[in-house]
Amino acid sequence: KWRLISSWLQLLICHSNLCGMPLLNTKIVGGQTATPGSWPWQASLQSSGRHFCGGSLINNQWVLTAAHCFSSIHPNLVVVLGLQNLQGSNPNSVSLTVSQITVHPNYSSSTNDNDLCLLKLSSTVTFTSFIQPICLAAPASTFYTGTTSWVTGWGTTRSISNTLQEVSIPVVGNRQCNCDNGLGTITNNMICAGLSAGGKDSCQGDSGGAMVSKQAGRWIQSGIVSFGTGCAQPNFPGVYTRVSQYQTWINSMISTNQPGFIPFCSSGTDSDLSFTCPGLPAPTTSTSAPCTNYYNFHYIL
């Protein structure tokens, strides 16, 4: 039994050993300029030479982004990787065309549910210090209220930022987020983050980019920038597509060299379960399997 478990875990690690470990990372509204190479999975989606959305590189030929980024047609679509500045010199960047756009079949533009899309690049990309894939949160991952997260992009600060920005924001539990954004707006396919005082958030132009958290030396993508009420408004957390809900669908679309899915496990208990507001149903008792960080568990064996 233990040999089978060990073999399975080793296979898991083989598929994920390249993701989420930027070589140049030492560590948006209210954010700061990112150091070149800090977020090497960051992609810029550009149409006719203009940035319109972000995305994240998840292996050497696929980019994960938001479905709402493709609510209209984008001529001359390219994905730019290794990019730091939207204008000027970018010696570490690579531009690739897209051979396939796949919006999640259950995406709803009216509710923003299932807001994700996969882009297949026309050719594989060579990894460098400035171009690396991100790990994805596996099913049963837990991101409790307060989990430190980072969002990156070229979105609106006062205008579209020319230089890649980064901002750190904490996760806000789904029950609280439902109360803040209006009961019924937040589904289990979403995850929220932001400050109750406002001032830090993703914004227009950041859509499709990754929200990530660090665990045991690896960065894991928890969310995809999806929607919000304004930007950085007090008591209106930003809303992200919850990546851990979609391993089955993503792997059904990517038949070879599948992305690295790693469980992210918050410590302690979920304080959001005690959060309530008028009209919010009582929390249900979870019967799902407990979150286990199998990646670390392998080394314990």
Side-chain angles (χ1 to χ4, degrees), residues 60-76:
N60 64 350
Q61 198 168 10
W62 290 83
V63 168
L64 181 64
T65 187
H68 77 262
C69 289
F70 291 89
S71 58
S72 59
I73 296 174
H74 297 287
N76 304 312

Side-chain angles (χ1 to χ4, degrees), residues 262-299:
I262 295 179
F264 185 98
C265 301
S266 295
S267 59
T269 58
D270 188 0
S271 62
D272 186 59
L273 293 177
S274 62
F275 193 93
T276 190
C277 65
L280 184 69
T284 57
T285 302
S286 174
T287 57
S288 60
C291 180
T292 304
N293 188 339
Y294 297 110
Y295 186 85
N296 288 340
F297 185 58
H298 174 85
Y299 286 98

